[in-house]
Amino acid sequence: MDLEMKNIFKSFGANLVLDDVSFSLSGGQIKALLGENGAGKSTLMNILGGVLGADGGKILIDGSEVSFSSPKESLDMKIAFIHQELNLINDLPIYENLFIGREIRKKSGFLDHEKMISETRRVFDEMALSLDPEVMVRDLDASYKQIVEISRAMLMDARIVIMDEPTTSLTENEIERVFALMRHLKSMGVGIIFISHKLNEVMEICDSYAVLRDGHMIREGKINETDTRTLASLMVGHEVVEGLRAESHDNGKIIMEAEHLTDSKHFKDISFNIREGEIVGFTGLLGDGRSELFQSIFGASLPYSGSLRIDGNEERIHSTQQAVRLGIGYVPRNRKENGIVKDLDILSNGSLVTLSMRKKGLFLDEAAIESDFANAKEKLSIKMGEDSDPITSLSGGNQQKVVLAKWLSAKPRILILDNPTQGVDVGAKEEIYQIITSLAESGVAIAVLSSESKEIIRVCSRCYVMYHGRILKELRGDELNEKTIMQYATGVVE
Amino acid sequence: MEKRVEKFNFISWFRNMWVTHPLFSTFCALVLMIILQTVALGFDQGSFSRWFSIWSRNWINILRNNATIGIISLGMTFVIITGGIDLAVGSTLVAIGAIVMVFIDSSATGLLSAIGITGAPAFIIGIIMGLIAGLILGEFTGILITIGKLPPFIATLGMMKICRSVTQQCMQTVNPQVPRSFTQIANLSIGGQMFMPIIYWLLIAFIMYWISKHTAFGRHVFAVGSNERASRLSGINTERVKRAVYAIMGLLVGCAAVLQVSRIGAMDYANAGSGYEMDAIAAVIVGGTSMAGGRGSISGTILGVLIIAVMNNLLNLIGVPPFLREAFKGFIVIAAVLLQKKEKA
């Protein structure tokens, strides 16, 4: 089945989001749709998925014009949109999730479970999957959830599948599993649109690409005629200049030192130190315990045993407010759930940490709060409208900078950054790395938690690799390369 | 400097306000109701000053009768903004009222009069004890919710049952009398009008407004209600915020109880305050506060209390049968939230 989107226009109010965009895809092809946040990718795909209507242009399937005004009508044309946030119900088994809303009934009106299960088996066989349809979705790992979503599309006989950043929350092994399935679908003649920020994955899995920037289609082409550097500069509009990694600080004062930290289930016998002005990485695969470790250190999680010294003083942190008083800052992973407060405006989000420190008598010192934020805004070059605009009006990268801004105003001496560039586009990513580096230069001790080894190599002067809740190895200097990191992260080398 | 004078276009201004300000439609509804109410009251009094004195007397009555609910609604606003709810307010009002009455009773049965304290000192002690009782009850509810990790609905449902039932049992044999002078707190007449409850209400509303806008605690209330996890990870003591919100609720119920005892001069332990929780929640919701937490305002709640109060008055004036009035209240709640919903297309 061939798809063609021709001369699509779309605006929100006065804001032209898609300006004469054309896009095509043929069956049995995997095409990457690239662009920074706000480039118009989601809008274009939402039009294809029937979520939004276009202001102009047409959509052709196999040469004949179609139009749809709801996701259901789009699905009837065999186009399936798999959103980044999966639409699965954890407390139902796989097969019921597959048939939700279109349950097969017996004549009596009751559900025909046998038939639904056997239909699910048929689809799984077609896709060469060995999954038990009766397993609860809750018990599946992230990649299988993704796969269940794809199976649902296949059950509806979809010929075009849109996948919006399917690999964001997956580990390397899980990504491989999803990729294998994508290749299988391709061999069945299904066309796939793959939206991702991870250019290495794009190079690995896609046949062709299309780059959107500021609502314009910049270039379409074949993957084997390009490279990641070219793609990145096409997306950003200029060359992405990579700054230098921070120098190592072997003689700085040790600010945070942990010995034998152990909790009941996530981490065991953890010892590490971070020096003044140093950026130390903590990496590993999903489930290695690094996030839980630092949540505990920040006082937000379960208690632990072992010793933690801040500036040489033994500290036991029971609450997040105590951690803040000790000069620790913490930018958590999953910005939407843990980082931003969606009902508050930009200024309130950016001053959440320091509110209780900026007082004039009983009341808030609003002038001080505003000037704090104005400083941070300038330092981080946050692109935003008014202070009173909702935080959700910002792009992912700028939201992340606001989360950083709230900590900068507190002037932390130790900063924990968990997945600092999650859901942030290429250009903003590099900006955040430079911010991290310059913070370290001003003397802040920084822990960067990330499963992207590239990120660790880019910003850290040394790193601890974790595996199943333990630190397997400390890497520095030449050892700090993707291959070595991966060997320890996967537990290949003990 | 060239100054462009744009012609003021009422219709486009109105449409813009209607779409962008969720409370604007509520405000319009209030204005409409006030107009209807004024019409229902009648103009045919011959002289303007006589008409005005009747009109203003009617308004003072409306506000005075709703001061208790008004004060409770202010506390309820904070509770609902944190994503919680307090079903116990009607029952704690009775419990606190009983405590206050036992202290202020100047007859032989009174707790203080038995040791020779009567009059103003007894009143002050009684009021303070009432407010402390409110704080303690609220703080206890807050502890059940934060440390006990109970859903607010469950915790306050339990408190609602406990407070009324225990009060009724305890007060079976005791029958405290409210001294006439105590009723002056609410019924003091200034220039022939009884303003006092309105003044208390406005004063508390003003304080609550300031807390919500200009203190760190006030902003934390919104933050916790919108995203508790992110707030905690920003170093906010979210449990303390929630406990404080219920404690403030208790304190305000204490104020409302003192006012109620003083205004009526007696208390019906079985029925007083029953349904107040729903009336307060209704006012808060009509005032645009989100049940999901994170969004709301004190000014909206005042609007909500007024809209329900004026509607009741209007129904009364045009002679709608009393049984039907609750239906109108229900209608107002549903209509208000439907009107405010338009922001999310």
Side-chain angles (χ1 to χ4, degrees):
Chain A
M1 193 165 93
D2 291 331
L3 165 81
E4 231 188 322
M5 299 177 83
K6 269 189 170 168
N7 312 100
I8 303 287
F9 286 87
K10 176 75 188 176
S11 50
F12 294 117
N15 195 359
L16 190 59
V17 189
L18 293 177
D19 187 1
D20 196 11
V21 170
S22 298
F23 178 85
S24 64
L25 175 77
S26 45
Q29 192 189 36
I30 303 181
K31 185 165 190 172
L33 180 59
L34 304 170
E36 294 196 278
N37 290 334
K41 290 175 310 212
S42 315
T43 313
L44 186 66
M45 288 303 109
N46 277 328
I47 288 171
L48 185 58
V51 181
L52 294 171
D55 296 340
K58 47 187 170 181
I59 301 174
L60 306 168
I61 287 179
D62 287 334
S64 52
E65 188 169 349
V66 293
S67 72
F68 22 73
S69 54
S70 72
K72 192 185 169 300
E73 287 176 38
S74 162
L75 204 52
D76 289 342
M77 300 306 300
K78 303 192 188 309
I79 299 171
F81 193 166
I82 298 171
H83 293 268
Q84 199 177 352
E85 283 96 26
L86 299 180
N87 285 312
L88 294 176
I89 296 164
N90 277 327
D91 293 312
L92 291 180
I94 295 177
Y95 76 91
E96 286 195 46
N97 265 287
L98 250 53
F99 280 95
I100 207 146
R102 290 165 294 111
E103 291 84 354
I104 302 177
R105 287 169 209 278
K106 294 180 190 164
K107 280 208 181 91
S108 56
F110 292 109
L111 293 178
D112 191 343
H113 291 281
E114 289 76 27
K115 184 123 188 259
M116 289 194 277
I117 293 171
S118 68
E119 276 291 294
T120 308
R121 284 231 169 78
R122 185 185 58 77
V123 171
F124 284 172
D125 286 346
E126 248 171 56
M127 294 164 61
L129 286 172
S130 56
L131 256 181
D132 180 358
E134 293 180 63
V135 168
M136 283 289 175
V137 166
R138 180 176 299 291
D139 301 327
L140 298 175
D141 74 22
S143 65
Y144 278 113
K145 286 185 183 176
Q146 191 73 242
I147 286 169
V148 169
E149 279 270 9
I150 300 171
S151 326
R152 180 150 68 181
M154 289 303 109
L155 181 74
M156 285 176 275
D157 206 19
R159 305 308 290 166
I160 293 173
V161 180
I162 307 165
M163 299 175 74
D164 189 2
E165 297 195 45
T167 59
T168 322
S169 52
L170 302 188
T171 62
E172 310 268 334
N173 290 337
E174 292 172 342
I175 291 171
E176 233 359 274
R177 198 176 295 141
V178 173
F179 280 3
L181 179 62
M182 286 168 69
R183 289 195 189 98
H184 187 78
L185 294 181
K186 183 173 128 178
S187 70
M188 291 163 63
V190 174
I192 299 176
I193 301 170
F194 182 71
I195 303 176
S196 176
H197 286 305
K198 300 185 184 170
L199 295 177
N200 289 329
E201 291 179 1
V202 167
M203 298 303 292
E204 186 188 337
I205 189 82
C206 297
D207 307 305
S208 56
Y209 67 91
V211 181
L212 274 175
R213 190 202 313 150
D214 297 330
H216 297 272
M217 184 56 79
I218 298 298
R219 191 180 295 171
E220 286 187 272
K222 291 207 169 72
I223 284 290
N224 53 22
E225 292 163 5
T226 186
D227 55 49
T228 50
R229 186 174 285 272
T230 318
L231 289 178
S233 53
L234 281 175
M235 286 162 68
V236 185
H238 54 81
E239 285 279 310
V240 179
V241 191
E242 291 201 357
L244 289 172
R245 143 189 354 166
E247 287 166 38
S248 50
H249 287 65
D250 275 347
N251 34 20
K253 196 175 78 173
I254 292 181
I255 301 235
M256 182 186 262
E257 187 171 29
E259 268 174 10
H260 312 299
L261 300 187
T262 301
D263 85 340
S264 48
K265 59 178 186 201
H266 301 293
F267 51 88
K268 239 183 176 167
D269 197 24
I270 301 281
S271 302
F272 66 84
N273 61 61
I274 309 175
R275 291 167 191 273
E276 190 170 30
E278 194 183 27
I279 308 175
V280 178
F282 290 81
T283 188
L285 302 176
L286 209 71
D288 61 1
R290 64 178 186 276
S291 287
E292 290 82 1
L293 167 67
F294 278 93
Q295 265 178 37
S296 284
I297 289 177
F298 190 64
S301 205
L302 299 169
Y304 53 85
S305 63
S307 111
L308 180 72
R309 282 191 292 276
I310 311 275
D311 276 332
N313 303 321
E314 186 79 31
E315 300 284 357
R316 181 121 302 227
I317 303 174
H318 299 285
S319 67
T320 55
Q321 51 277 17
Q322 190 189 350
V324 174
R325 274 199 302 275
L326 286 169
I328 307 178
Y330 176 67
V331 174
R333 61 166 54 210
N334 297 340
R335 179 172 57 244
K336 217 191 246 166
E337 291 87 56
N338 306 330
I340 61 163
V341 180
K342 69 174 186 342
D343 292 316
L344 298 186
D345 59 21
I346 298 173
L347 175 65
S348 301
N349 265 287
S351 56
L352 209 50
V353 174
T354 41
L355 271 183
S356 39
M357 307 171 198
R358 300 281 182 273
K359 274 192 216 170
K360 246 189 205 162
L362 277 175
F363 301 119
L364 287 173
D365 184 351
E366 266 144 65
I369 289 168
E370 275 166 33
S371 79
D372 275 355
F373 185 66
N375 282 339
K377 187 164 85 180
E378 202 194 315
K379 211 174 195 172
L380 303 178
S381 59
I382 302 176
K383 286 189 212 79
M384 51 172 273
E386 298 295 316
D387 279 0
S388 57
D389 287 349
I391 181 81
T392 43
S393 66
L394 300 181
S395 69
N398 282 309
Q399 287 186 12
Q400 189 71 351
K401 286 182 186 173
V402 173
V403 176
L404 262 169
K406 78 177 170 194
W407 287 108
L408 290 198
S409 318
K411 301 209 168 32
R413 295 171 43 251
I414 303 163
L415 194 54
I416 304 161
L417 305 169
D418 193 352
N419 256 7
T421 61
Q422 185 180 27
V424 166
D425 52 55
V426 188
K429 225 173 186 169
E430 188 53 35
E431 279 184 82
I432 289 178
Y433 294 152
Q434 278 161 20
I435 292 163
I436 296 174
T437 312
S438 75
L439 278 173
E441 275 160 13
S442 70
V444 182
I446 297 174
V448 173
L449 283 55
S450 176
S451 53
E452 278 181 56
S453 32
K454 270 214 153 74
E455 181 159 288
I456 296 287
I457 296 165
R458 163 71 186 79
V459 288
C460 302
S461 51
R462 61 190 171 97
C463 100
Y464 294 94
V465 188
M466 291 181 66
Y467 180 70
H468 283 318
R470 288 171 186 276
I471 289 181
L472 272 195
K473 179 77 176 167
E474 181 188 343
L475 299 172
R476 58 172 71 219
D478 290 342
E479 300 167 314
L480 208 52
N481 60 59
E482 278 184 83
K483 198 171 154 228
T484 319
I485 290 177
M486 205 35 70
Q487 278 175 342
Y488 286 101
T490 49
V492 176
V493 186
E494 287 265 352
Chain B
M1 282 282 281
E2 205 183 346
K3 208 173 172 186
R4 234 178 70 205
V5 183
E6 265 184 46
K7 220 177 122 192
F8 181 70
N9 183 338
F10 179 76
I11 292 171
S12 71
W13 170 83
F14 190 87
R15 189 175 296 147
N16 184 36
M17 289 293 281
W18 186 275
V19 176
T20 53
H21 293 282
L23 275 183
F24 185 69
S25 47
T26 317
F27 181 73
C28 290
L30 178 63
V31 171
L32 185 71
M33 253 188 266
I34 291 176
I35 294 171
L36 287 176
Q37 173 222 25
T38 311
V39 172
L41 206 58
F43 291 109
D44 53 349
Q45 302 295 332
S47 101
F48 176 80
S49 62
R50 250 176 62 206
W51 169 81
F52 184 76
S53 90
I54 289 174
W55 186 83
S56 54
R57 195 179 297 267
N58 182 46
W59 259 101
I60 287 166
N61 272 329
I62 294 175
L63 295 175
R64 197 165 51 115
N65 292 337
N66 286 283
T68 318
I69 281 292
I71 291 169
I72 292 173
S73 303
L74 295 170
M76 192 67 85
T77 311
F78 274 23
V79 169
I80 292 180
I81 290 173
T82 61
I85 197 151
D86 194 340
L87 300 176
V89 289
S91 302
T92 42
L93 180 103
V94 170
I96 298 166
I99 292 170
V100 173
M101 281 163 68
V102 167
F103 277 102
I104 59 172
D105 186 4
S106 55
S107 68
T109 52
L111 219 55
L112 290 175
S113 65
I115 54 169
I117 305 173
T118 53
F123 295 171
I124 292 167
I125 295 172
I127 290 170
I128 290 172
M129 294 315 274
L131 298 185
I132 289 174
L135 261 181
I136 291 172
L137 285 172
E139 181 70 20
F140 182 68
T141 309
I143 287 171
L144 287 178
I145 289 163
T146 52
I147 297 170
K149 307 244 181 286
L150 285 183
F153 192 98
I154 308 287
T156 58
L157 180 67
M159 290 297 283
M160 164 177 159
K161 296 293 176 200
I162 294 167
C163 286
R164 189 175 297 273
S165 142
V166 170
T167 310
Q168 275 181 279
Q169 178 60 35
C170 291
M171 301 309 283
Q172 251 187 342
T173 51
V174 196
N175 188 19
Q177 300 300 314
V178 177
R180 185 163 271 281
S181 45
F182 189 77
T183 60
Q184 287 297 305
I185 293 173
N187 298 327
L188 182 70
S189 162
I190 302 167
Q193 306 283 15
M194 291 183 277
F195 285 119
M196 294 317 286
I198 307 172
I199 292 172
Y200 301 137
W201 178 24
L202 290 182
L203 190 70
I204 294 171
F206 183 73
I207 294 170
M208 292 294 279
Y209 175 83
W210 263 86
I211 291 175
S212 77
K213 292 271 179 193
H214 300 287
T215 66
F217 167 72
R219 299 231 188 135
H220 288 168
V221 168
F222 285 86
V224 169
S226 179
N227 190 341
E228 188 170 347
R229 243 191 99 67
S231 305
R232 195 157 64 97
L233 292 176
S234 301
I236 296 173
N237 191 338
T238 54
E239 299 206 335
R240 197 172 66 191
V241 170
K242 289 210 270 183
R243 279 208 321 272
V245 159
Y246 287 93
I248 290 175
M249 178 83 250
L251 184 67
L252 293 191
V253 174
C255 297
V258 170
L259 192 58
Q260 180 100 335
V261 168
S262 162
R263 199 165 65 87
I264 299 176
M267 191 159 252
D268 171 1
Y269 306 113
N271 297 312
S274 75
Y276 277 23
E277 61 285 342
M278 288 306 159
D279 284 350
I281 293 166
V284 172
I285 296 307
V286 170
T289 295
S290 156
M291 282 298 273
R295 267 182 294 170
S297 65
I298 290 292
S299 37
T301 294
I302 294 172
L303 207 57
V305 174
L306 287 181
I307 220 167
I308 293 177
V310 173
M311 185 198 60
N312 269 333
N313 181 249
L314 177 64
L315 297 178
N316 194 13
L317 289 173
I318 60 178
V320 171
F323 285 128
L324 265 184
R325 283 182 207 156
E326 287 291 305
F328 278 91
K329 214 183 274 176
F331 171 76
I332 283 280
V333 171
I334 292 169
V337 177
L338 278 178
L339 280 173
Q340 289 157 5
K341 260 209 132 120
K342 58 199 172 272
E343 48 180 325
K344 263 193 185 171

